[in-house]
Amino acid sequence: MRTASPRTIALWTCVALVGAAGWSVLALARGEEVSAAWMVTAALGTYAIAYRFYARFIARKVLRVDPRRATPAERLNDGMDFHPTDRRVLLGHHFAAIAGAGPLVGPVLAAQMGYLPGTIWIIVGVVLAGAVQDMVVLFFSTRRDGRSLGQMAREEIGPFGGAAALLAAFAIMIILLGVLALVVVNALAASPWGTFSIAMTVPIALFMGFYLRVLRPGRVSEVSLIGVALLLLALVAGRWVAESSWAGAFTLKPATLVLWLVGYGFVASVLPVWMLLAPRDYLSTFMKLGTIALLAVGVVVALPTLRMDPVTDFASRGDGPVFAGSLFPFVFITIACGALSGFHALISSGTTPKMIQKETQVRMIGYGSMLMESSVAVMALIAASIIDPGLYFAMNAPAGVIGDSVQSASQAVAHFGYSISPGDLAQAAKNVEESTLLSRTGGAPTLAIGVSEIFSKVTGDGLRAFWYHFAIMFEALFILTALDAGTRVGRFMLQDMLGNVVKPFKNVSWKPGLLLCSAAVVGLWGYFLWVGVHEPLGGINQLFPIFGIANQLLAAVALAVCTTLLVKSGRLKWAWITGIPLAWDATVTLTASWQKVFSSDPKVGFFQQRANYRDAIDAGKVLPPAKTMDDMHTVVTNSTVDGVLSAALALLVVVVLVDAARVCVQHVRDPRPSKLSEAPYLESALVAPAGLFPSRKEKEERRDAGVGSAAGR
C-alpha cells in the first residue's frame, strides 16, 4: 500500500478541521445568529472525508471489487436493458433516478423540529447508512446479473422471506411512484413554463442518445456541451412561451398531465435504455447539480442567517402543525430520501447494475450519487430555515388550523410561539407574484421561497418572483427523472416475480413480458394518480400518509439482504457495516409503524383517527379536512386502509428480518461456504476508469489498449 505524502496528509487534515469547525458552530451556538454557510461547511467536509476514506475502505476491503471481472452490461449486452454505459453518463442517470421528491420536500417539513436534528441525520445518516446501502446493493446486484432486490432476497434468504420481500418491495414501489407522479402533476398544473421546458428535455435526450450511439460514439464531453446548451435554451424559451400566445397549449389541467405522464412512463420503460432514459437523466443532472451548486455559492456569498431555532418545542411535544409526532421517530421518517431511502435500493438493483462497466465504479456511482443527493437535502433544509419562521408555519400549516385570511394566520402562528404580521404575509405573496402563500403545504412552495430568498440576495430583489417560479419548475424536473427510471425498475421487479412461475419472464428484455409488465406498472400507479387528481381525498392522496414509512421499511429490507450476503460470502467481520444501519432503521420504522397504527392521538394513529371520524359521523358533525359528510366517510375509509397497509407492510418486513436473521445465525454456527447465486466469473475485455477522472495507472492501461477517454476493448 502506498504511503500518503505529507502534502496529502496536510490537505485532508485541513478538510477535517474545516468540517469540524462547521459542526462545532452548529452544535454549540445558542442565542446568537448562525450563518447557513456553516451548514454547507459541515456537510462538504464530512462528505469529502467519508468518500475518500470510508467508501474506499468498503469498496476495497469489504466488497473487494474486481476490475477484471466482467459486469452484466458487458456479458449480457443486448442494446435494450443491458448496455455498458460511460461512467459519467451512468453517474448522471443514477443520481437523477434516485433524487426524487424526498430530498427536496422531506427536509423542508422536518424543519418544524429545528434545523439541527435534520442536519445531523441528513449528513451522518448518509455517510453511515444511505450511501453504504446504495453502494453495497449495487455491488451485489451487479454480481447477480442485475437481479432486483426482491429476487435477491428470494434467492439468498429463502422462498418464504424472499416472497415477503418481493411483495413488500413491489407494493411500496407502486406507492412511491404514485406519490412522485402526484408531486409532478401539482407542480406542472397551469405552469406553461415548466411544462414546455420539461417536454423539450425528451427530444434533446433522444438526440443525445443517438449522438453517442451512432454519430459520435464515446464523445461524452462533446455531447454534454451540446446538451447543456440546448437545455439552457429550453429553460429560457419556457419563459418566452409562458408569456406568449402559445401559453395556452402548454397550460395543462391535472387530468391531462396524468395521461401524458402515464404515456411517457410507458415509453421510457420500453425503449432501449441508451435511447431516452440514460441521456435524459444525464441531461437533467446538469440542471439539478447546477442549481444546487449555485445555491451553495449563493449561501457562501450572501451568508443568510438560520432563522429557525436549532431545536423547536415541537420536537419534544409532538404537536407540530406541519406533521404530528415527536422527533423520534418521525423526523427520520419525514426526511425520506436525504439520508437513507429504500427507493434507492430498487434503482441500485434495477437499471444501474445492468449498465455499469466495471465493479470498481460502484464507489463513485453508488456512494457518490447518494452524497450528491444528501447535499440537495442540506440545501433544502437551509432554504426552509433561512426564511421567517412565522412565514414557514403559515405556509405549511393546514387551512383548518390557520384559517383562510392573513389575520387568522397571523394569530395562529402567534399561538405556535412565533410572530408575523398580516401585512408581512401579504407582502411575501406579492413579492413572488402569488395571490396567497397560506397553507401551501407539501414543502415544495416553501423550498421555492427559500431558493428565491438566497438568489435574490445575489441578483437583486427585483428577480425574486422569477427565482420562485424557476424553483417550482426545477422541482418538477427534479422529481420526474425518478418517475421514469422507477417505472422501468418496477417492470424489472414484476418480471422477476413472474419469472419464478413463467420462465420467459426471467429474460427482462423479452418483448412480450417487457410490454405486458410495463403496461401493468404504469397502469397501477396511473390508476391511483388518476383517482387522486379527481378526488382530493382519494387515490394516491389516500396512500400519501404512509409514503415515508413505506420508503424506510424498504430500506430495512435492503439492509437485511446486504447483511445476509456479507455473512454468506465470508465477510462476517464486516457485517456491522450494514448491520448497524439496519438495526437503527428497523427500530425507527417499526416504532413509527406501531405508533401510526395504535397511537391514541388521532393526529398520529390511523385507527384512532378512524374512530374519531366515525363518532363524528354518528353525531352528524363534519371535521376538517372534510367539507361534506361524504368526505367524512372517505376519511374513515382512508384511515382504515392506511392503518391496515401500515400493519401489513411492517409485518412483511418483520418476516424478512426474521428469515434473514435465521440464515445469518445458521451460517455463523456452520461457517462452511454457502451456495451463492452469483453469476459465473468471466474475464472482462473492457478498459474503463473507476472514478470520474482516470488515475495515472488507468491512463496507461487505456493507452496500452488504444482507447480514448471512454471505455474500450
Side-chain angles (χ1 to χ4, degrees):
M1 181 180 292
R2 190 176 62 181
T3 304
S5 66
R7 180 179 178 182
T8 301
I9 294 173
L11 172 64
W12 286 106
T13 300
C14 289
V15 171
L17 291 174
V18 169
W23 280 115
S24 299
V25 173
L26 292 176
L28 301 178
R30 292 294 182 271
E32 63 264 27
E33 292 187 348
V34 177
S35 171
W38 289 113
M39 194 182 293
V40 174
T41 300
L44 294 181
T46 305
Y47 296 155
I49 294 292
Y51 184 78
R52 171 60 178 81
F53 297 100
Y54 192 49
R56 189 184 190 191
F57 159 73
I58 294 174
R60 294 187 177 185
K61 295 292 186 181
V62 180
L63 301 180
R64 300 192 289 272
V65 294
D66 186 354
R68 296 166 297 180
R69 188 182 185 118
T71 64
E74 181 180 358
R75 290 186 291 101
L76 307 176
N77 185 7
D78 60 6
M80 182 65 187
D81 297 308
F82 294 89
H83 177 66
T85 304
D86 186 281
R87 68 201 183 281
R88 293 161 290 185
V89 175
L90 188 57
L91 176 67
H93 158 74
H94 187 79
F95 168 71
I98 65 173
L104 293 176
V105 174
V108 172
L109 302 181
Q112 169 184 264
M113 302 295 190
Y115 66 78
L116 193 55
T119 301
I120 294 173
W121 173 234
I122 289 170
I123 300 175
V124 177
V126 72
V127 166
L128 300 179
V132 173
Q133 171 207 257
D134 293 11
M135 177 170 67
V136 177
V137 169
L138 177 57
F139 171 79
F140 282 127
S141 181
T142 300
R143 282 279 175 101
R144 287 156 179 79
D145 289 342
R147 289 293 189 209
S148 67
L149 177 67
Q151 188 62 27
M152 284 197 294
R154 186 179 186 277
E155 293 173 352
E156 301 291 357
I157 296 177
F160 188 60
L166 279 167
L167 184 58
F170 186 72
I172 292 171
M173 171 61 96
I174 296 301
I175 294 172
L176 299 182
L177 290 176
V179 170
L180 291 174
L182 180 64
V183 176
V184 173
V185 168
N186 290 338
L188 292 184
S191 175
W193 181 9
T195 302
F196 175 84
S197 298
I198 288 175
M200 288 301 100
T201 62
V202 175
I204 295 173
L206 288 170
F207 165 76
M208 292 175 66
F210 279 99
Y211 194 96
L212 281 176
R213 176 82 173 188
V214 180
L215 300 178
R216 302 272 287 174
R219 304 287 183 173
V220 177
S221 300
E222 194 174 289
V223 78
S224 298
L225 293 174
I226 298 172
V228 170
L230 292 175
L231 176 62
L232 293 175
L233 179 62
L235 293 174
V236 174
R239 196 182 189 198
W240 296 341
V241 168
E243 297 172 352
S244 72
S245 58
W246 290 6
F250 292 94
T251 305
L252 304 181
K253 296 180 179 179
T256 306
L257 284 168
V258 170
L259 297 177
W260 277 108
L261 285 179
V262 168
Y264 170 73
F266 178 80
V267 171
S269 180
V270 300
L271 284 180
V273 70
W274 60 265
M275 187 181 295
L276 176 60
L277 188 67
R280 187 186 180 284
D281 288 351
Y282 177 60
L283 179 67
S284 300
T285 296
F286 283 102
M287 181 180 175
K288 290 182 176 185
L289 291 183
T291 302
I292 296 303
L294 287 176
L295 277 173
V297 172
V299 168
V300 173
V301 172
L303 298 176
T305 300
L306 296 170
R307 302 177 69 180
M308 185 65 74
D309 296 329
V311 182
T312 67
D313 293 339
F314 299 122
S316 57
R317 296 205 311 257
D319 59 350
V322 180
F323 63 91
S326 57
L327 188 152
F328 179 87
F330 289 106
V331 76
F332 307 101
I333 299 299
T334 303
I335 302 177
C337 293
L340 173 65
S341 171
F343 178 75
H344 297 183
L346 303 182
I347 303 298
S348 292
S349 61
T351 53
T352 307
K354 299 176 178 65
M355 301 161 66
I356 193 168
Q357 296 169 326
K358 289 288 185 182
E359 283 187 2
T360 49
Q361 295 171 353
V362 299
R363 175 186 173 215
M364 177 186 72
I365 295 170
Y367 202 97
S369 290
M370 186 57 199
L371 293 183
M372 289 155 57
E373 187 186 21
S374 182
S375 70
V376 175
V378 168
M379 295 311 304
L381 184 59
I382 288 175
S385 300
I386 63 170
I387 66 176
D388 189 312
L391 178 59
Y392 170 86
F393 286 106
M395 292 184 66
N396 289 283
V401 174
I402 66 170
D404 57 1
S405 69
V406 291
Q407 289 78 17
S408 63
S410 177
Q411 294 173 4
V413 168
H415 180 70
F416 301 151
Y418 299 92
S419 63
I420 187 168
S421 69
D424 288 340
L425 285 173
Q427 186 62 44
K430 184 178 179 181
N431 289 341
V432 295
E433 299 177 8
E434 291 280 358
S435 58
T436 181
L437 291 175
L438 301 183
S439 298
R440 296 294 299 273
T441 56
T446 304
L447 175 61
I449 286 289
V451 169
S452 68
E453 179 78 14
I454 294 171
F455 282 154
S456 63
K457 287 182 180 296
V458 179
T459 62
D461 207 55
L463 291 176
R464 186 181 293 268
F466 169 83
W467 290 122
Y468 172 84
H469 292 283
F470 169 83
I472 293 292
M473 185 272 296
F474 161 75
E475 292 173 63
L477 176 61
F478 200 103
I479 297 165
L480 184 59
T481 52
L483 184 65
D484 51 17
T487 300
R488 197 179 192 98
V489 171
R491 188 251 288 180
F492 292 151
M493 294 168 63
L494 186 55
Q495 286 180 274
D496 272 347
M497 283 194 291
L498 295 177
N500 294 318
V501 181
V502 182
K503 295 302 181 184
F505 279 97
K506 283 286 187 184
N507 179 5
V508 293
S509 299
W510 180 53
K511 285 294 176 62
L514 180 155
L515 296 172
L516 179 64
C517 292
S518 294
V521 171
V522 296
L524 285 169
W525 66 254
Y527 166 77
F528 287 115
L529 179 61
W530 179 265
V531 175
V533 163
H534 288 83
E535 299 179 17
L537 296 177
I540 195 60
N541 299 298
Q542 181 184 58
L543 303 176
F544 198 94
I546 64 174
F547 168 77
I549 287 180
N551 187 48
Q552 300 303 78
L553 285 172
L554 189 56
V557 173
L559 290 168
V561 172
C562 290
T563 304
T564 304
L565 284 170
L566 286 174
V567 172
K568 290 183 65 177
S569 60
R571 300 172 173 92
L572 175 61
K573 68 177 181 179
W574 305 122
W576 59 268
I577 289 173
T578 54
I580 292 176
L582 169 61
W584 169 257
D585 183 58
T587 301
V588 168
T589 50
L590 292 177
T591 300
S593 297
W594 179 271
Q595 292 187 21
K596 293 301 288 184
V597 174
F598 297 110
S599 174
S600 58
D601 183 351
K603 293 182 179 180
V604 177
F606 290 128
F607 288 144
Q608 185 61 51
Q609 183 184 70
R610 177 188 184 279
N612 283 20
Y613 275 80
R614 173 57 66 186
D615 292 343
I617 290 173
D618 294 339
K621 297 179 181 179
V622 176
L623 304 178
K627 298 179 180 179
T628 66
M629 196 55 69
D630 286 341
D631 288 347
M632 292 288 290
H633 286 284
T634 301
V635 172
V636 169
T637 301
N638 290 354
S639 300
T640 305
V641 170
D642 288 340
V644 171
L645 269 178
S646 295
L649 290 175
L651 182 60
L652 286 172
V653 171
V654 168
V655 169
V656 175
L657 295 178
V658 170
D659 214 14
R662 175 190 61 80
V663 172
C664 291
V665 170
Q666 184 179 36
H667 183 81
V668 171
R669 289 178 174 176
D670 183 9
R672 288 177 296 181
S674 300
K675 181 180 180 181
L676 298 172
S677 58
E678 285 188 356
Y681 178 91
L682 183 68
E683 187 82 19
S684 174
L686 279 178
V687 177
L692 200 59
F693 303 103
S695 64
R696 180 182 301 176
K697 181 180 178 181
E698 289 171 338
K699 289 179 180 179
E700 293 174 354
E701 290 175 349
R702 290 187 311 178
R703 185 173 60 250
D704 294 341
V707 298
S709 60
R713 294 183 180 275

